[in-house]
């Protein structure tokens, strides 16, 4: 039986929704002039690609620039970012995660005609996209499939989750810490898979790990777009197209 999505707690916040919106939008000024934005807190990369879009929360704009380049022009990515390097107080960042997730969810519901099938997030951005997924479900959307890098979900999730960890990421990879999280995932999610990237923490959007990440993403997105049953257990990435 799948888990259910429960209402998220109300987090206190030091920022208004308008202030959070402004922080994210103003940070887009660091993007190259060739990147077209204007999606509020989201930036569309490979906008004209024909594949199923992915919505991803990153920790800087360098990460989606690299991913969009390596994964191919046919893969649209609607990118936003966490408060990493925008808010420097750790407590303030944590207190504003849910407020930012609510803002992003409102933007998704307002600007995307169809409910997203795939959401992703890495490290500090992963708890934000986790909250977005629950908020979308509570708004009536089907549970998106999640790609979560270097983070273990705080809540049960009524859908499929692919966890990705670095092979050299001792601080974030539970398998390097002597524990096997898969029994917990089996109780916490409808279904789960996991895989590994050949790098340490923070190195996943550059070679060689970016090639493996692209393989995971294209395969995962293809399955979601086709409505295929999600693959479970340990998954090795198809990387031959990205070398």
């Amino acid at each position: 039986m799948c888990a259910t999505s429960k209402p998220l707690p109300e987090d206190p916040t030091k920022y208004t929704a308008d202030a959070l919106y402004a922080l994210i939008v103003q940070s887009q000024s660091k993007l190259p002039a060739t990147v077209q934005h204007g999606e509020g807190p989201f930036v569309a990369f490979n906008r004209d690609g024909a594949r199923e879009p992915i919505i991803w929360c990153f920790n800087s704009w360098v990460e989606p620039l690299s991913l969009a380049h390596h994964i191919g022009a046919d893969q649209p990515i609607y990118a936003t970012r966490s408060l990493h390097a925008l808010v420097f107080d750790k407590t303030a960042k944590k207190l504003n995660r849910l407020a930012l997730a609510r803002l992003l969810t409102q933007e998704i519901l307002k600007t995307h005609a169809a409910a997203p099938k795939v959401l992703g997030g890495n490290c500090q951005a992963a708890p934000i996209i986790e909250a977005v997924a629950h908020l979308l479900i509570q708004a009536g959307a089907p549970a998106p499939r999640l790609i979560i890098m270097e983070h273990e979900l705080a809540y049960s999730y009524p859908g499929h989750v692919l966890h990705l960890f670095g092979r050299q990421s001792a601080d974030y990879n539970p398998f390097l810490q002597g524990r096997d999280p898969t029994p917990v995932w089996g109780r916490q999610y409808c279904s789960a898979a996991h895989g590994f990237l050949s790098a340490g923490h923070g190195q996943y959007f550059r070679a060689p790990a970016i090639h493996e990440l692209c393989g995971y993403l294209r395969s995962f997105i293809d399955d979601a777009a086709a409505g295929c049953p999600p693959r479970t257990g340990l998954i090795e990435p198809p990387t031959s197209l990205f070398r």
Side-chain angles (χ1 to χ4, degrees):
M1 179 180 295
C2 285
T4 58
S5 179
K6 298 180 180 179
L8 300 175
E10 289 290 343
D11 280 350
T13 176
K14 293 184 178 180
Y15 293 86
T16 66
D18 287 344
L20 289 170
Y21 188 99
L23 274 174
I24 302 300
V25 171
Q26 289 167 9
S27 73
Q28 296 172 9
S29 64
K30 298 180 181 180
L31 286 163
T34 52
V35 176
Q36 296 180 354
H37 42 93
E39 306 286 341
F42 287 93
V43 176
F45 293 85
N46 301 334
R47 182 194 296 270
D48 297 327
R51 293 169 55 82
E52 180 70 32
I54 183 172
I55 294 175
W56 192 289
C57 192
F58 297 88
N59 289 306
S60 76
W61 294 116
V62 172
E63 294 171 344
L65 279 166
S66 176
L67 181 60
H69 170 73
H70 284 91
I71 202 169
D74 60 340
Q75 178 58 63
I77 302 169
Y78 289 89
T80 188
R81 55 161 300 157
S82 71
L83 299 176
H84 173 69
L86 300 179
V87 174
F88 292 93
D89 182 271
K90 291 183 178 179
T91 300
K93 280 193 288 190
K94 289 181 180 179
L95 291 178
N96 284 279
R97 281 176 182 167
L98 186 51
L100 180 54
R102 293 188 191 283
L103 170 65
L104 297 176
T105 303
Q106 291 170 3
E107 287 292 316
I108 292 168
L109 293 171
K110 182 172 69 176
T111 60
H112 290 260
K117 294 182 179 179
V118 179
L119 301 180
N122 53 293
C123 191
Q124 292 183 36
I128 298 168
I129 212 69
E130 175 186 358
V132 169
H134 283 282
L135 291 167
L136 287 170
I137 294 167
Q138 290 161 23
R145 300 189 189 192
L146 299 183
I147 303 174
I148 301 295
M149 292 172 56
E150 303 273 83
H151 170 67
E152 294 183 73
L153 299 191
Y155 302 96
S156 296
Y157 187 68
H160 179 67
V161 183
L162 169 62
H163 280 285
L164 296 177
F165 300 100
R167 295 185 187 276
Q168 290 85 48
S169 184
D171 290 339
Y172 294 88
N173 183 343
F175 296 94
L176 296 179
Q177 299 168 1
R179 60 187 180 90
D180 179 3
T182 56
V184 174
W185 296 345
R187 298 189 298 270
Q188 195 175 6
Y189 318 140
C190 280
S191 58
H194 65 280
F196 301 107
L197 302 170
S198 299
H201 185 70
Q203 306 297 311
Y204 307 123
F205 294 96
R206 62 186 70 175
I210 187 66
H211 304 299
E212 298 173 334
L213 178 58
C214 288
Y216 277 118
L217 264 59
R218 288 184 72 97
S219 175
F220 190 88
I221 293 165
D222 283 346
D223 287 348
C228 297
R231 284 174 273 187
T232 59
L234 175 61
I235 300 176
E236 297 295 337
T239 59
S240 59
L241 294 177
F242 302 99
R243 293 296 186 187

